[in-house]
Amino acid sequence: MSQWIRFLTFALCVAFTLIFAIAAVWVSWLGLLALVFAGLTLVGVRDMLQTKHAILRNYPVIGHIRFMLEDIRPEIRQYFVESDEDEVPFSREGRAIVYQRAKNVEDKRPFGTKQRVNAAGYQWLTHSIQPRRIENKDFRVKIGGPACTQPYNASLYNISAMSFGALSANAISALNKGAKKGGFAHDTGEGGISRYHREGGGDLIFEIGTGYFGVRDDEGNFDPEKFAKVAADDQVKMIEIKLSQGAKPGQGGMLPASKISPEIAEARGVPMDKDCISPASHSAFSTPLEMMAFIQQLRELSGGKPVGFKLCIGHRREFMCIVRAMLETDITPDFIVIDGKEGGTGAAPLEFANHMGMPLVEGLTFAHNTLRGVNLRDRIAIGASGKLIHAFDIAKALALGADWVNSARGFMFAVGCIQAQACHTNHCPTGVATQDPRRQRALVVPDKAERVYYFHKNTLKALGDMAGAAGLDHPSSFLPHHLMMREKERNMVTGEEIYPYMPEGFLLREDDDRFGYLQRWRRAASASFAPFDQGV
């Protein structure tokens, strides 16, 4: 008998259809109820006949409730289940501070911290008995090495790479207009410079990916003439070669032809009737030496603007191969952006998101110390990106070797993202990550541009307050010894003990083999990324 209970809902739909149909002879409005239950009956018949879902075959009609609950599970968890500190991937507390600063409202917290200050992993900054008062919170860093004739005076906090196509037109426009008002930079992402980047007038970091969008020929190869024309635009302040990104290092991508709008085709320089392919690696170079030549070519074609590259550290030896090529050619990038695997605006397979690429802290300290080891650190600025949304995140990155930081999801929150995690579905509920014109109209550009401006301004204000409390005159003065962390319960260590600055020139002298740097350095070669052996 119990096995038939699973069909009870379907049976009731059939029964009510008949009952209300008969009753409608005397009470006409009951015919509407008969139609409703007739529709549910047809759904039940379809459920039992379909072959894709076992649950619906066994539980016709009522089985749909399971799929409905599964669809709204993220929202149920976010609004009713998760605590303020749960990181999935950003905590409610972290999102709230972005929203408050973006709205320029009170961002203070009463009643003390909710952090478990005695638990392993807790981190804090040391402060001074004699704090400083920093009046000017417009913190800047000069980016441009010896060969750069048009250096850029960048903010310490900028918008990280997000392409038009991944983000909506309204989101791109709001971000750029906010950047213009605040005097900070907006990275275009690899999707090219769209009309929405241009109309805001904000400073741009032009990212060149493996697809060379916006500067490619008909076969998808790099086109020097097109690049020179794009780079000559005064709005373009820096050029960034994307080697890899934290969300999906080592992967390319494809934008189906069905999703290519006229505006996307215009920005990327691709036809609308073909799938748009982003290869996994660059065709303009295949060795470290060729990569240095490409950097030099871009610098010359751009009229001396800062040229650098972005990557998520993978095989550490390969990064050292690039550094070897710098020494051999005396060609150095003006900057390097280290993207941690925490980066997440690009949709990625679960295995890549969870288990490929190096986290930001380890990648940043490795790149910083490698450049110190060959006496090139002063010639090359380092940017950092990966879940950096509030002042402590920035201070920590600066202490561990960064010159400035970028944020993608922080600024997404500022323009209205609610972490619905529907970025890849075209169903973003707030119009941030969708090309659906009806959905993106909910994002009102003038209002959200103001929020971008205030989020940046108030975050730098908080950073300045933290630097002043530490007795510093500028956030760039943070060093590893200002960072404390609890390695185990009751045991605390300084950042200097775990992430020390290695001595200048130690790789050239080969006199310090801590942390395996020297071992990898000896296996690195400028002529190829290929390993001498199986080491990484």
Side-chain angles (χ1 to χ4, degrees):
M1 179 66 180
S2 60
Q3 64 176 326
W4 296 104
I5 293 179
R6 52 196 169 93
F7 295 101
L8 179 61
T9 302
F10 174 65
L12 288 174
C13 290
V14 175
F16 283 129
T17 299
L18 296 173
I19 291 170
F20 287 124
I22 295 171
V25 174
W26 294 279
V27 183
S28 61
W29 64 267
L30 291 177
L32 295 175
L33 292 178
L35 290 174
V36 170
F37 282 102
L40 292 174
T41 299
L42 292 175
V43 169
V45 172
R46 187 196 64 180
D47 289 345
M48 289 187 291
L49 295 177
Q50 60 82 37
T51 58
K52 291 184 177 180
H53 302 290
I55 286 178
L56 296 181
R57 284 173 68 87
N58 275 334
Y59 298 89
V61 183
I62 198 171
H64 287 277
I65 294 177
R66 185 261 184 191
F67 295 103
M68 291 170 59
L69 292 175
E70 188 177 55
D71 284 342
I72 63 173
R73 179 182 178 275
E75 288 80 7
I76 294 296
R77 174 177 172 79
Q78 183 177 136
Y79 294 125
F80 301 110
V81 178
E82 74 174 35
S83 75
D84 287 347
E85 293 80 47
D86 286 344
E87 295 188 8
V88 283
F90 285 86
S91 69
R92 180 184 295 272
E93 185 177 67
R95 300 194 306 271
I97 198 68
V98 175
Y99 298 146
Q100 289 166 329
R101 286 176 176 162
K103 295 175 183 178
N104 201 32
V105 298
E106 179 63 60
D107 62 355
K108 305 300 186 293
R109 292 287 190 275
F111 228 68
T113 182
K114 296 178 182 178
Q115 299 283 318
R116 295 178 177 86
V117 299
N118 295 314
Y122 177 71
Q123 302 175 10
W124 68 98
L125 293 170
T126 57
H127 66 279
S128 172
I129 291 175
Q130 293 184 312
R132 306 287 180 88
R133 182 174 178 82
I134 302 176
E135 297 292 344
N136 182 10
K137 306 293 176 60
D138 183 25
F139 303 120
R140 299 273 160 183
V141 58
K142 180 182 176 182
I143 302 175
C148 176
T149 58
Q150 297 189 57
Y152 178 54
N153 199 28
S155 170
L156 286 192
Y157 198 41
N158 301 286
I159 302 171
S160 197
M162 295 179 285
S163 300
F164 170 59
L167 297 193
S168 69
N170 285 9
I172 292 292
S173 184
L175 289 170
N176 196 259
K177 289 181 178 180
K180 172 67 173 179
K181 183 173 181 178
F184 53 99
H186 180 189
D187 194 312
T188 65
E190 63 178 310
I193 303 176
S194 71
R195 63 181 68 177
Y196 304 104
H197 289 99
R198 296 188 187 282
E199 70 179 17
D203 291 351
L204 295 177
I205 301 170
F206 176 41
E207 183 177 274
I208 302 175
T210 56
Y212 305 108
F213 298 126
V215 292
R216 57 189 266 149
D217 61 21
D218 293 340
E219 284 71 46
N221 299 310
F222 175 72
D223 187 320
E225 291 184 7
K226 288 183 178 179
F227 171 78
K229 183 177 179 180
V230 172
D233 188 339
D234 187 58
Q235 198 176 347
V236 175
K237 302 300 182 184
M238 301 201 301
I239 292 92
E240 176 183 274
I241 304 166
K242 175 194 156 187
L243 301 184
S244 61
Q245 67 185 84
K248 48 181 179 179
Q251 270 210 328
M254 181 189 76
L255 184 65
S258 60
K259 292 187 177 181
I260 301 177
S261 68
E263 293 166 321
I264 292 175
E266 175 188 60
R268 298 195 177 200
V270 297
M272 292 184 60
D273 59 346
K274 294 182 180 179
D275 295 337
C276 180
I277 305 297
S278 295
S281 59
H282 281 267
S283 59
F285 58 88
S286 59
T287 70
L289 291 173
E290 290 176 356
M291 180 179 167
M292 292 306 104
F294 186 58
I295 288 173
Q296 180 69 6
Q297 180 187 20
L298 296 185
R299 189 182 286 126
E300 292 173 356
L301 290 171
S302 67
K305 292 183 178 180
V307 177
F309 61 89
K310 178 183 83 172
L311 82 166
C312 176
I313 297 289
H315 293 328
R316 287 163 286 179
R317 174 194 46 76
E318 290 183 347
F319 182 81
M320 288 182 161
C321 289
I322 296 173
V323 175
R324 286 241 187 223
M326 295 178 196
L327 293 175
E328 185 170 326
T329 62
D330 198 33
I331 299 171
T332 54
D334 298 290
F335 66 91
I336 299 171
V337 175
I338 303 299
D339 197 16
K341 71 164 285 79
E342 305 94 317
T345 55
L350 181 66
E351 296 87 351
F352 274 74
N354 286 346
H355 302 294
M356 288 294 289
M358 188 175 289
L360 174 60
V361 167
E362 287 75 13
L364 172 60
T365 55
F366 177 79
H368 171 68
N369 279 325
T370 298
L371 294 177
R372 285 177 60 87
V374 295
N375 296 324
L376 288 179
R377 183 62 183 86
D378 291 341
R379 292 174 60 171
I380 303 170
I382 294 182
S385 59
K387 293 189 76 172
L388 306 175
I389 64 170
H390 55 63
F392 175 75
D393 299 331
I394 302 172
K396 178 180 175 181
L398 296 176
L400 297 182
D403 293 298
W404 87 93
V405 308
N406 299 327
S407 177
R409 285 170 290 182
F411 284 98
M412 285 179 69
F413 291 143
V415 294
C417 171
I418 60 171
Q419 195 171 263
Q421 299 181 65
C423 309
H424 60 301
T425 66
N426 209 34
H427 296 154
C428 173
T430 58
V432 177
T434 178
Q435 296 305 305
D436 184 336
R438 292 168 298 179
R439 288 178 178 271
Q440 65 174 289
R441 71 177 295 274
L443 196 161
V444 180
V445 172
D447 174 67
K448 296 302 190 279
E450 285 293 302
R451 294 192 184 192
V452 170
Y453 163 73
Y454 278 117
F455 169 58
H456 175 269
K457 177 181 179 180
N458 290 326
T459 301
L460 286 190
K461 178 182 181 301
L463 177 64
D465 291 343
M466 295 191 84
L472 306 176
D473 293 319
H474 195 281
S476 294
S477 298
F478 277 116
L479 292 169
H481 69 258
H482 292 111
L483 179 66
M484 300 290 294
M485 57 192 74
R486 201 172 293 285
E487 191 175 28
K488 301 175 182 177
E489 288 192 15
R490 298 184 302 277
N491 291 344
M492 65 181 187
V493 295
T494 67
E496 197 170 36
E497 295 175 70
I498 301 179
Y499 306 112
Y501 284 11
M502 296 292 282
E504 292 276 2
F506 78 95
L507 289 176
L508 299 178
R509 296 189 303 270
E510 297 193 358
D511 60 0
D512 192 331
D513 196 23
R514 284 179 293 166
F515 310 110
Y517 282 89
L518 189 52
Q519 177 188 6
R520 289 177 174 81
W521 180 249
R522 288 168 174 165
R523 294 202 309 268
S526 61
S528 174
F529 288 110
F532 294 156
D533 51 33
Q534 297 304 308
V536 296

